[in-house]
Amino acid sequence: MPVLAANPSPEPEAEAWQPEVDAAQPEANAAAQPEPKEVAALTPELDTPTPTQVEVPKPEKKKEPKPKLEEPLSEGGEGTAANREGKGGLRVVPFGRVFARVSADEREQYARSLSIASARVGLAASLPHVEAEVTADLSSKSLLKDAFVRVADEQKRLRLYGGQFKAPFLARELESAWRLPLIRRGLVADYLEDTHNLGGRRLGLMGEVSIKEAWKLKVSGGVFQGTKDDDTGIRASEDASLRATVRPFKILTLGASTYFAQAFEGARTYALAADAVLKLGGLEVTGEYVNGHLPTGPFAAQMGLASYTVPLLLEGLAVQPVAGAEMMQLLGPLKARGYAFVGGINVLYSEHFKAQLQAEHALRPGDPAAGFEYSLQLATRF
C-alpha cells in the first residue's frame, strides 16, 4: 500500500487551454494571434529597381534630292540658285560642255567624219538683281558665243538683256543643245539662220515681261544688230524680234515668234512661227510651223519631233527613243522643197553624260538627191 501510494499511475496530459474566440470579433482575433517575428534578417533586401534607359532610334534622315545642274542663261536657264532663293552676295559659277561626233554620209560615199561639234566653256556671275554670262566655243571660228548682262526686278517679272545672245525666234533654235534630243537642229533652222541670217546670236538689247497669273505669259522683244555683207563689209540696219509663250495647262506650252530683217527699212525678209510643246510623263511632242518671205520669195516650213524617256534600273540611267520629221517649201519664182526624217536612240546618264545614235534621210536645199547620214555623238558637261 505505501508503495502504491508513492507511485501513482500516470494520468494523461491535458491539452493546452486556448480561449475560444468568436469569429465575429476581429479585434479579439487579432489579439489572440501571436505577434509575428521579425523576418527582415531572414529575407534579403530587394534593391529598388532602377528604370532602364531605352535607346530611341534616331529618325532616318530623308535623302535630299541632288540639285539639278543649272542651265546657263544662254541655254534657257532661269537664273542661278542664288537668285532663285533670294540670297545676296556675288556668286560665280563655271560651266562647260564637249560634244564629240562621228558621222558617215551616203552623199559622200559614207566617208567618215570625226569632229568636235562643240567645246564650250563659260562663266556665269550673279547678284540679287543682276546676272552676267560669258561663253566661248573653242571649236568654232567665232570664239565668242554669248556675252551679256541681265537685270531683273525683285519678283523677276521684268528683265532687260544687253549684249550678245540668241534672238527670241524659232523654238527649235532657242532650245538648249543639251536638252534637244536631236544631234542637229535640223535643215529648217540651219537654212533660215545660216543661209538667210534670220535669228541666231547677235548683239542687241531685249526686254522681257513675265506674268505667272496669266497662264505664265512671257513676252520677249528686242532690237539686234543687222547682218554684215561678206562682199562689201557693210552692215545692214537693225533687225527686230518678238516672242510670246503661254502655258494654259501644266502639260501644254504654246508660243509664237517673229523675226524682221532690217526692220526699220521695210523688212523685206521676215519669218513668222507658231509652236506647241506637249509633255506627258516621259513623252514629249513638239511641233512648229513657219512661213514668211526670203530673198528668193515666200516660203513655208513644218517641224515635228517626239521623244520618250524610259528610266532604267540603275539610278540616273535612261534610254530615249526619238523620231522627227521636217519639210520646207520655197514658193517663189525659184521653187524647191526639202525634207528630213530622223530616228534614233539616246542613252542618258545623270545630267552629265549622254550618247546619241541617229540616222537621217534628208533632201537638203542644194542637194541633187536625198541620202542617208548616220551619226554617233558623245557629250558631257559640267
Side-chain angles (χ1 to χ4, degrees):
M1 291 292 293
V3 174
L4 293 173
N7 297 299
S9 60
E11 294 180 0
E13 295 182 0
E15 294 181 359
W17 176 84
Q18 294 181 353
E20 294 182 1
V21 179
D22 189 356
Q25 299 177 356
E27 294 181 357
N29 190 13
Q33 293 294 331
E35 296 183 359
K37 296 181 181 180
E38 295 182 0
V39 295
L42 300 178
T43 58
E45 293 185 356
L46 298 177
D47 295 335
T48 303
T50 58
T52 57
Q53 296 180 354
V54 180
E55 294 184 0
V56 180
K58 297 180 180 180
E60 296 182 0
K61 294 183 178 179
K62 295 183 179 180
K63 294 183 179 180
E64 297 182 358
K66 296 180 180 179
K68 292 186 177 181
L69 188 64
E70 297 173 15
E71 291 284 352
L73 301 182
S74 57
E75 296 291 351
E78 288 298 323
T80 62
N83 277 345
R84 289 197 298 269
E85 296 171 4
K87 297 180 180 179
L90 176 65
R91 182 185 178 188
V92 179
V93 180
F95 61 89
R97 73 178 190 214
V98 177
F99 292 175
R101 183 185 305 165
V102 59
S103 60
D105 198 323
E106 181 183 6
R107 286 153 292 208
E108 299 176 358
Q109 289 73 45
Y110 291 109
R112 289 176 291 277
S113 173
L114 179 63
S115 64
I116 301 298
S118 177
R120 293 189 185 177
V121 292
L123 287 175
S126 65
L127 287 169
H129 300 287
V130 181
E131 295 168 299
E133 182 179 316
V134 177
T135 309
D137 195 335
L138 306 180
S139 65
S140 176
K141 294 180 180 179
S142 55
L143 184 64
L144 184 64
K145 285 296 179 182
D146 296 288
F148 61 90
V149 176
R150 182 172 78 174
V151 182
D153 65 341
E154 187 174 356
Q155 289 78 23
K156 304 295 184 293
R157 289 176 174 266
L158 302 175
R159 287 168 171 163
L160 182 64
Y161 295 74
Q164 178 165 304
F165 50 92
K166 286 183 180 180
F169 170 67
L170 214 61
R172 177 71 66 86
E173 179 65 27
L174 295 174
E175 182 63 276
S176 165
W178 184 269
R179 291 199 299 259
L180 186 69
L182 295 176
I183 292 179
R184 293 182 176 87
R185 296 192 183 274
L187 67 88
V188 174
D190 292 344
Y191 187 72
L192 295 180
E193 180 185 346
D194 298 340
T195 305
H196 294 286
N197 301 303
L198 292 177
R201 287 178 167 85
R202 294 172 179 269
L203 284 172
L205 185 68
M206 183 180 77
E208 185 177 271
V209 179
S210 299
I211 305 176
K212 293 183 179 180
E213 296 78 9
W215 286 354
K216 295 189 177 181
L217 172 66
K218 181 185 289 187
V219 180
S220 306
V223 178
F224 299 88
Q225 189 178 59
T227 304
K228 185 177 180 180
D229 188 275
D230 296 333
D231 298 329
T232 62
I234 300 175
R235 190 173 294 278
S237 62
E238 287 74 18
D239 300 348
S241 181
L242 179 69
R243 176 169 173 78
T245 60
V246 292
R247 195 166 143 187
F249 306 103
K250 187 176 180 179
I251 62 174
L252 179 64
T253 302
L254 304 175
S257 60
T258 182
Y259 194 92
F260 295 93
Q262 303 181 41
F264 304 102
E265 294 184 2
R268 289 167 293 184
T269 301
Y270 63 89
L272 307 171
D275 58 88
V277 180
L278 176 66
K279 294 183 179 180
L280 189 60
L283 176 66
E284 181 171 345
V285 181
T286 64
E288 191 163 12
Y289 175 79
V290 192
N291 67 3
H293 195 279
L294 300 174
T296 57
F299 80 96
Q302 306 82 32
M303 292 178 284
L305 180 64
S307 64
Y308 192 84
T309 304
V310 183
L312 299 181
L313 297 178
L314 183 62
E315 183 179 359
L317 185 64
V319 295
Q320 184 186 57
V322 58
E326 51 185 327
M327 294 174 284
M328 187 170 185
Q329 305 87 33
L330 300 181
L331 306 174
L334 179 61
K335 295 187 181 294
R337 66 184 182 92
Y339 64 86
F341 299 97
V342 62
I345 188 167
N346 304 327
V347 179
L348 314 176
Y349 181 68
S350 182
E351 295 182 349
H352 302 272
F353 174 82
K354 67 177 181 178
Q356 300 172 276
L357 178 63
Q358 296 177 6
E360 179 190 66
H361 184 264
L363 175 65
R364 303 189 184 102
D367 289 344
F372 280 96
E373 182 181 12
Y374 302 93
S375 301
L376 172 65
Q377 179 170 271
L378 303 180
T380 185
R381 68 172 180 170
F382 62 88

